[in-house]
Amino acid sequence: MHDENGNQYTEGSFVVPTSIFSTSGRSLKRSKSISKPRSPCIDLSPAPSPEEINSNHESSLPICLRRSSQLIGLTPCGCFEQLPTELIYYLLQFLPLDDVTSIGKLGQTSKDMRNILIRWIGSSRMQSRLTDTILLTPFTSTEKAWSGRLSLPYELHRECKRTGILIKQLTCLFPTSQRLGLYHQLITEAKQSILQQRPDFEQHLIAAASGIILHSMISGWDKSECIKVHATICYWNNITFLLSEYLNNPVSTNVNIERTLRLYMRSLFLDFVAYSDRLIWIEIIFDCSQLSQHLNLAKLLLLLFTPLQTGGSVMWDFFEGDVDCSSYTEEYKMLGETLAYIIASPQRCCATNEAVDIIQAITRMPTHWSNRSLAALLLCIHCVDNKPVISYFKHLSSNAEMGLALEVLGNIFVMASEFISSNQTDNVGFNFRSVFNLIRNAINCGWGTDERRTMVQELWSDIREMCSTLLDDAVMIGNAKDLHSLMETWKEICIHLTF
């Protein structure tokens, strides 16, 4: 393959014109791979005084600072671009990354300046800025322990985002492979530097920094470019092979593969993507021939969104028994949201019962879920898209499974207050209105008159029990807010259940 300058490069490698790595900043025809960048030799000899410069004692100046009289006469202070690359590197060392817009604009003044700044990003000076920021950031005990969802302290998150934006600005005219190559070089060498200084440094923090820089750099790219990014990143991190190994074996047969897949797929593709682009990335990740089988799809979804044990292993028995749903609201929400997006994807939903088959595959893996866990999943899916839930209850009505439907709806009543009162659910769409809408859709999905009457009577019983519990809480601990919110919404539930 060739770039726009006629330089030959292979897929997955970052090849840039030699001008980007030449000290003079002048364009040459040959190419040089970024995998072996030249470390610039920086001249730290004392700078000449203004008097020496003005006296035109050019012969007494260091060779790297000598300029012809014509260049010096261009502007009163000379041309900044004509400074030696080593000296520009030295000056950039003192520039804060707080205002990446200014540095990016500096790189847009000319090709030579852009190439100098790109070489600076690939130099040890820029990498040291990033690694020092990561190593000097104080982490709390919660951040050091990998709970499955990656996060970084605000200051470090901002620094990584600035780095990604700077790469984005300086490489906006480059092909995708070259832009990813610069990112890969920066991340690889920063990771090596961190592990050399701190061999026990937490891998998930490095992965989180990599994900933030990546998505800051590719923000706004279209789907076709994101597909190239996904393929290249999977190749570099061996994700395709690991995914195949995982899907071809039972769960928990290789903890290291499960942990690696969870870490890299979440950090590089899901956790730090902009919310508006999340659907695009879900379609890309799950658009795989191996994931066309519902069982494999269920295995990957649970691998990505099931809570983790203390050591980082997947908690495969999470959905068994009477789990405390309020403790895992975030996991349920992410699983339900992702599943709803997959079902709604036009690439997947070809069959009429596709949504039902996928939900059943999820709730039978690795063992049959409890009705309480199934109810939690349906509630989360319904908050994103009600169509899969309606299809599921239509399936129950057509197969005369009213007992299962009643148990699921009863559990939704009981756990509603747990979801809604959780601190993590402020912005995820859980409220009593969503519970009301789910119940309304569930009892209007093809049930006969007698079946509807039985369901209404059972749901009334659950309503009375829930009201009694919340009333006790209001009297004993003064928590009447949940009771008030519940009763206001259930006025409408009572009307619809009665008529």
Side-chain angles (χ1 to χ4, degrees), residues 98-113:
D98 296 347
D99 188 6
V100 295
T101 303
S102 297
I103 301 179
K105 288 181 178 179
L106 177 62
Q108 294 172 355
T109 56
S110 68
K111 290 183 179 180
D112 288 345
M113 185 54 62

Side-chain angles (χ1 to χ4, degrees), residues 282-353:
I282 290 176
E283 291 179 354
I284 294 174
I285 293 170
F286 292 95
D287 185 16
C288 173
S289 58
Q290 292 178 295
L291 299 178
S292 60
Q293 303 177 16
H294 299 150
L295 179 60
N296 287 342
L297 177 62
K299 289 178 66 174
L300 181 58
L301 282 171
L302 293 181
L303 173 69
L304 294 177
F305 300 111
T306 301
L308 299 181
Q309 300 177 5
T310 305
S313 302
V314 177
M315 192 184 301
W316 287 110
D317 58 349
F318 162 64
F319 299 103
E320 299 178 6
D322 189 17
V323 298
D324 182 11
C325 297
S326 61
S327 301
Y328 302 109
T329 305
E330 187 66 17
E331 285 77 8
Y332 269 118
K333 184 258 179 182
M334 290 188 293
L335 176 60
E337 180 186 76
T338 305
L339 182 56
Y341 284 151
I342 292 173
I343 295 174
S345 174
Q347 288 85 351
R348 293 201 61 92
C349 288
C350 300
T352 304
N353 293 328

